[in-house]
Amino acid sequence: MNVFNSILRSNQPQQPNDQPENGNDMPWMITTAAKVVGSVAGVVSIFMGFLNLLSILDIKCIFVGALLIIEGFIIVLTEAPCCCMFLDFAFMPANILEKRSPWFKAVIYLMFALVPFFWCLGISTFLSGGLIMATSAFYVMMAMGRKANRDEMRVKTTGSTGNGSGPSAAITTAPTAVLVQNEELPQSSLKNGSNQVIY
């Protein structure tokens, strides 16, 4: 019991300036949307799991109902631990997963969404799995990172240093390869001004 208490004390909620490096460059809308959709997905999964438990005709759907309840509880613990303040370990899963890459959450949530489809196909499985998959998609977007602005993309495509030269600075007039036998050299590369043909 002493070990469990020390783990809980070491995993207390972080202060706003101690946030992990993973999500610092992400817009607040994406991170908030991932948390909101994840919280809703967890609550819907718990509710749909209870509905699946009521189906006494199919053993597989009862198993999927229990699985959806467990998955929903884990998702609510990781996305909105404030909903489970009555539990002593409510912040522990959230703190552990916040230290990891967003890819980790995306893969876990994708597995949470796909596993119930193997045993019981129904509206409850599709609704809860779809919401969990949407949460996974938000975390994939967070893992891919922020899109570069227009100037950074232009610099990367032209290979220039961005000295105001623009994309046309990378285009040269010198022939790069002889694809046709009678290619003429540009006027700027001719020394005596007469048309010469490369053979």
Side-chain angles (χ1 to χ4, degrees):
M1 192 66 173
N2 227 356
V3 174
F4 186 68
N5 287 334
S6 66
I7 291 172
L8 287 178
R9 278 192 215 111
S10 67
N11 289 323
Q12 292 298 320
Q14 296 177 348
Q15 299 299 323
N17 44 353
D18 293 333
Q19 289 182 353
E21 296 292 323
N22 297 340
N24 283 345
D25 62 337
M26 292 310 303
W28 66 271
M29 290 186 296
I30 292 179
T31 55
T32 304
K35 295 282 185 190
V36 168
V37 173
S39 302
V40 170
V43 171
V44 168
S45 292
I46 292 171
F47 180 71
M48 292 300 170
F50 279 120
L51 287 180
N52 271 352
L53 284 178
L54 296 178
S55 65
I56 57 172
L57 299 176
D58 193 7
I59 299 294
K60 291 179 182 177
C61 286
I62 293 173
F63 173 73
V64 167
L67 187 64
L68 284 176
I69 291 171
I70 293 169
E71 289 176 356
F73 184 67
I74 291 172
I75 291 173
V76 168
L77 274 179
T78 56
E79 297 299 327
C82 58
C83 295
C84 303
M85 292 294 289
F86 56 90
L87 297 173
D88 290 338
F89 59 90
F91 286 99
M92 191 168 59
N95 287 337
I96 290 171
L97 287 179
E98 286 297 323
K99 294 175 185 174
R100 303 222 183 247
S101 171
W103 279 110
F104 191 74
K105 269 189 180 179
V107 169
I108 287 176
Y109 289 162
L110 187 64
M111 288 190 311
F112 279 179
L114 292 179
V115 167
F117 286 112
F118 293 120
W119 289 295
C120 181
L121 291 176
I123 191 75
S124 61
T125 311
F126 279 107
L127 186 61
S128 60
L131 285 171
I132 296 172
M133 221 174 275
T135 307
S136 176
F138 276 115
Y139 279 105
V140 166
M141 287 187 337
M142 289 171 62
M144 286 193 294
R146 181 180 283 229
K147 179 182 168 186
N149 63 17
R150 187 175 184 164
D151 294 331
E152 289 174 1
M153 288 191 283
R154 183 178 295 144
V155 167
K156 286 183 181 179
T157 57
T158 60
S160 65
T161 59
N163 294 333
S165 53
S168 61
I171 300 174
T172 61
T173 57
T176 56
V178 180
L179 299 176
V180 180
Q181 290 295 340
N182 60 357
E183 180 181 2
E184 294 183 14
L185 292 174
Q187 293 297 329
S188 62
S189 63
L190 295 176
K191 294 180 183 174
N192 56 5
S194 63
N195 289 338
Q196 295 179 354
V197 178
I198 299 174
Y199 293 106

